């Protein structure tokens, strides 16, 4: 069984569909998939009269039990009306994303180009076909019976395309399975949709919602602009995130009060963190620092993640409303973003430290080299003295380090399992500093280890030769040592 590729939450409940990517070598029958999803399947006709217009019903709105006809519907936050998933374009959209994700995975991971072609075909049917292609607008998303035919906040339903579909389209394109016609058509579609987001009444109102909807809106604008090459739009939106979103939604201690006020506060906090985090990732691409950027009073995306961390790692009990189970896919996504930026900050801190570290290391290794060079040959060596003594050049030694108790230099046989570490360290110092002294001395100590190439009774030869000759080959970009390394591999295979 392969990994679960798409877990679509509400859609699994509504359709029972869960898409699983087979492991490498496992087969998958593409014909077992249902026919391609389209928005034109719905029975209800949108107010425009065109079934190609996307149309859904608001999930948290229910018939008013006090009214005979139930109209107008009333809100029950966090409680999904199952009728909202019936004959729903949201379900069709997410089903399409899941199927394209599965087929793309088969193409990219398993090399199944037939699956890749089918993914391209389904994308074309859903977005581009003259009869079935979805029109690039969400005028009628999340309508409320008795109240409105569509709302600005319905725009959040295409936020899933940012992480769920765009990467798959790009994977298909790189694999050569996305036809030029479909690729160009999808870019035109997203260009038209981006224009609608930026200019329509629904789009402008969604941008001003002031909660997770506005952050998801920004993410869509950035992602779709990036996809079609509108760098100006993406960068402009990213540069406004701190002043427009962070300042309005995140407290100085990291709390997001508007999400904590919901009946599913844990899920909505994760949901908004995911969108903030994705914007920060796009910020890296565009040279706009969003993760650590702070407002004048200390609000930041990083603090919002840090505020939530004790809750997701279990060190602190959740103190706010959560009427349903925690959404695992939200949690996984948020934690992966957090790990990315924690790792980035550690790498940056390490990079700042490295010059001083290398300076101290350089002095240490120069002293070690000077002390060890006169002691390369063991004057009292006898073949019977050590397990390695009878081997060719058994009297040759290499520095192992300084003895902790006495401070004396510890010299070991060139066949000792750590023999490659000293020349390997010199190669790293040359790589980091560019000092030719380390190149010269690394070469000399490395070539002292050549007799190991014929050793067939010691698996540690891999450590010895990779640390020394392997690094020399990589750093110098030379094939000078290839024959010797091949001889080493041949000897190891005889063990």
């Amino acid at each position: 069984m392969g990994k679960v590729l798409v877990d679509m939450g509400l859609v699994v409940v509504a359709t029972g569909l869960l898409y699983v990517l087979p492991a490498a070598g496992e087969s998958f029958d593409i014909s077992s998939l249902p026919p391609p999803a389209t928005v034109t399947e719905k029975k209800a006709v949108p107010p425009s009269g065109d079934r190609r217009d996307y149309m859904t019903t608001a999930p948290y709105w229910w018939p008013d039990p006090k009214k005979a006809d139930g109209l107008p519907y009333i809100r029950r936050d966090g409680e999904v009306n199952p009728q909202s998933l019936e004959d729903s374009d949201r379900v069709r959209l997410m089903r399409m994303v899941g199927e394209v994700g599965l087929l793309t995975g088969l193409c990219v991971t398993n090399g199944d180009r037939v699956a890749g072609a089918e993914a391209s075909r389904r994308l074309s049917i859903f977005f581009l076909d003259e009869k079935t292609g979805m029109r690039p607008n969400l005028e009628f998303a999340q309508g409320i019976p008795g109240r409105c035919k569509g709302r600005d906040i319905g725009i959040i339903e295409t936020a899933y395309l940012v992480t769920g579909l765009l990467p798959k389209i790009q994977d298909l394109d790189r694999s050569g399975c996305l036809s030029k016609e479909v690729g160009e058509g999808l870019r035109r579609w997203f260009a038209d949709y981006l224009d609608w987001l930026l200019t329509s009444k629904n789009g402008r109102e969604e941008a001003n919602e002031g909660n997770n909807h506005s952050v998801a809106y920004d993410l869509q604008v950035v992602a779709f602009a990036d996809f079609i090459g509108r760098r100006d739009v993406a960068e402009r939106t990213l540069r406004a995130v701190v002043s427009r979103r962070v300042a309005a939604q995140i407290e100085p201690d990291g709390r997001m009060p508007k999400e904590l006020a919901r009946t599913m506060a844990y899920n909505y906090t994760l949901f908004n963190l995911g969108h903030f985090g994705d914007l920060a990732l796009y910020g890296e691409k565009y040279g706009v620092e969003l993760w650590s950027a702070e407002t004048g009073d200390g609000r930041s995306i990083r603090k919002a993640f840090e505020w939530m961390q004790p809750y997701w790692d279990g060190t602190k009990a959740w103190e706010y409303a959560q009427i349903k189970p925690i959404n695992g896919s939200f949690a996984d996504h948020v934690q992966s973003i957090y790990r990315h930026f924690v790792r980035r900050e550690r790498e940056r801190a390490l990079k700042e430290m490295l010059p001083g570290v290398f300076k101290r290391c350089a002095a240490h290794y120069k002293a070690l080299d000077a002390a060890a060079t006169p002691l390369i040959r063991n004057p009292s060596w006898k073949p019977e003295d050590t397990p390695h003594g009878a081997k060719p050049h058994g009297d040759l030694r290499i520095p192992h380090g300084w003895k902790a108790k006495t401070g004396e230099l510890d010299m070991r046989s060139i066949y000792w399992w750590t023999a490659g570490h000293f020349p390997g360290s010199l190669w790293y110092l040359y790589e980091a500093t560019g000092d030719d002294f380390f190149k010269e001395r690394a070469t000399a100590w490395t070539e002292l280890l050549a007799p190991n190439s014929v050793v067939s009774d010691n698996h540690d030869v891999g450590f010895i030769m990779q640390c020394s000759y392997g690094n020399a080959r990589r750093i110098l970009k030379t094939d000078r040592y290839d024959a010797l390394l091949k001889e080493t591999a041949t000897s190891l295979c005889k063990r």
Side-chain angles (χ1 to χ4, degrees):
M1 179 64 70
K3 64 180 180 179
V4 174
L5 186 68
V6 179
D7 178 351
M8 299 183 294
L10 294 175
V11 178
V12 174
V13 174
T15 66
L17 295 173
L18 182 66
Y19 297 101
V20 177
L21 178 62
E26 290 185 2
S27 61
F28 180 83
D29 183 6
I30 294 175
S31 66
S32 65
L33 290 174
T38 71
V39 296
T40 55
E41 297 172 37
K42 55 182 170 284
K43 298 175 183 176
V45 180
S48 63
D50 191 337
R51 278 194 169 86
R52 293 177 299 163
D53 280 324
Y54 182 97
M55 185 172 70
T56 59
T57 302
Y60 299 156
W61 291 77
W62 296 70
D64 185 345
K66 298 179 181 179
K67 308 288 180 64
D69 60 1
L71 300 176
Y73 275 24
I74 57 174
R75 186 171 183 259
R76 289 159 53 177
D77 187 37
E79 299 180 42
V80 176
N81 183 343
Q83 290 180 340
S84 69
L85 298 174
E86 297 174 2
D87 199 25
S88 169
D89 281 341
R90 182 185 183 189
V91 173
R92 296 182 186 97
L93 176 73
M94 298 182 77
R95 203 194 95 198
M96 177 274 297
V97 171
E99 289 164 0
V100 168
L102 170 65
L103 293 164
T104 302
L106 289 168
C107 174
V108 174
T109 305
N110 295 4
D112 188 340
R113 299 189 69 79
V114 174
E118 177 63 14
S120 181
R121 185 178 79 91
R122 287 176 181 250
L123 285 167
S124 180
I125 290 172
F126 192 92
F127 289 106
L128 309 177
D129 188 271
E130 289 186 5
K131 294 182 179 179
T132 62
M134 173 183 162
R135 297 180 66 204
N137 71 78
L138 259 64
E139 292 289 350
F140 309 115
Q142 292 203 15
I144 304 172
R147 293 182 182 270
C148 63
K149 297 174 181 179
R151 299 183 296 161
D152 59 297
I153 65 174
I155 289 172
I156 205 164
E157 294 187 1
T158 49
Y160 185 58
L161 299 180
V162 173
T163 56
L165 188 66
L166 292 187
K168 304 304 182 294
I169 295 174
Q170 291 162 338
D171 285 346
L172 280 174
D173 198 11
R174 283 190 291 266
S175 72
C177 288
L178 188 71
S179 72
K180 181 179 179 181
E181 180 183 1
V182 173
E184 291 177 350
L186 288 171
R187 282 172 174 77
R188 285 194 300 271
W189 192 95
F190 277 99
D192 290 342
Y193 185 50
L194 175 63
D195 184 64
W196 181 85
L197 286 174
L198 294 172
T199 61
S200 67
K201 177 177 179 291
N202 279 358
R204 293 193 302 271
E205 290 179 355
E206 179 76 336
N208 294 318
E209 277 292 332
N211 59 2
N212 68 84
H213 281 268
S214 295
V215 182
Y217 171 86
D218 280 358
L219 177 60
Q220 291 185 73
V221 168
V222 169
F224 301 152
D226 177 71
F227 179 65
I228 65 172
R230 288 293 307 276
R231 186 179 181 89
D232 58 326
V233 174
E235 188 170 340
R236 181 174 67 244
T237 305
L238 288 167
R239 292 195 180 282
V241 167
V242 174
S243 60
R244 293 189 69 192
R245 310 307 184 200
V246 173
Q249 297 187 38
I250 300 174
E251 293 296 298
D253 67 354
R255 289 177 300 114
M256 293 189 287
K258 292 180 180 179
E259 310 313 321
L260 293 175
R262 303 295 295 269
T263 61
M264 293 193 296
Y266 196 111
N267 281 4
Y268 273 97
T269 298
L270 288 178
F271 190 52
N272 208 25
L273 282 177
H275 293 145
F276 268 124
D278 284 328
L279 282 167
L281 291 173
Y282 272 105
E284 283 190 319
K285 179 176 181 179
Y286 281 83
V288 179
E289 177 56 42
L290 292 180
W291 174 256
S292 60
E294 293 189 354
T295 61
D297 57 356
R299 304 164 193 253
S300 72
I301 294 174
R302 177 175 60 189
K303 285 185 178 179
F305 275 75
E306 290 173 345
W307 183 87
M308 190 64 181
Q309 183 196 5
Y311 296 109
W312 79 54
D313 67 16
T315 59
K316 194 173 183 180
W318 186 244
E319 305 160 20
Y320 303 87
Q322 181 62 30
I323 64 174
K324 289 187 177 181
I326 294 167
N327 188 305
S329 62
F330 290 170
D332 290 345
H333 183 58
V334 166
Q335 289 172 37
S336 70
I337 294 172
Y338 183 69
R339 288 192 297 270
H340 167 84
F341 282 105
V342 167
R343 183 167 58 250
R344 187 196 72 170
E345 291 185 345
R346 287 174 180 167
E347 289 172 352
R348 286 181 175 179
L350 180 60
K351 191 173 182 180
E352 291 176 1
M353 293 169 55
L354 283 180
V357 171
F358 282 127
K359 185 176 181 179
R360 292 192 295 273
C361 285
H364 171 80
Y365 275 90
K366 284 183 177 181
L368 188 57
D369 173 77
T373 298
L375 305 176
I376 289 176
R377 291 194 178 275
N378 182 357
S380 60
W381 165 78
K382 295 178 182 179
E384 63 271 17
D385 286 346
T386 70
H388 307 302
K391 293 177 179 175
H393 307 287
D395 63 328
L396 295 179
R397 300 184 298 180
I398 203 159
H400 181 68
W402 304 98
K403 293 181 179 179
K405 292 184 178 179
T406 64
E408 295 176 312
L409 185 60
D410 186 3
M411 299 291 287
R412 302 287 178 96
S413 164
I414 60 169
Y415 298 107
W416 186 251
W417 75 277
T418 62
H421 292 183
F422 180 67
S425 297
L426 296 178
W427 282 120
Y428 286 138
L429 283 167
Y430 171 63
E431 183 178 34
T433 66
D435 186 339
D436 283 336
F437 168 85
F438 291 113
K439 176 184 176 182
E440 176 187 336
R441 300 309 299 150
T443 300
W445 287 106
T446 291
E447 293 181 353
L448 199 67
L449 300 175
N452 281 282
S453 66
V454 296
V455 172
S456 60
D457 63 350
N458 180 12
H459 69 277
D460 291 327
V461 168
F463 292 117
I464 297 169
M465 303 300 271
Q466 175 58 28
C467 290
S468 54
Y469 284 97
N471 274 314
R473 184 182 187 277
R474 177 182 65 82
I475 294 169
L476 298 180
K477 295 180 173 58
T478 179
D479 59 2
R480 174 180 172 185
Y481 301 119
D482 284 8
L484 185 136
L485 287 169
K486 289 176 182 177
E487 184 178 45
T488 303
T490 301
S491 300
L492 276 172
C493 290
K494 295 176 181 177
R495 183 173 180 270

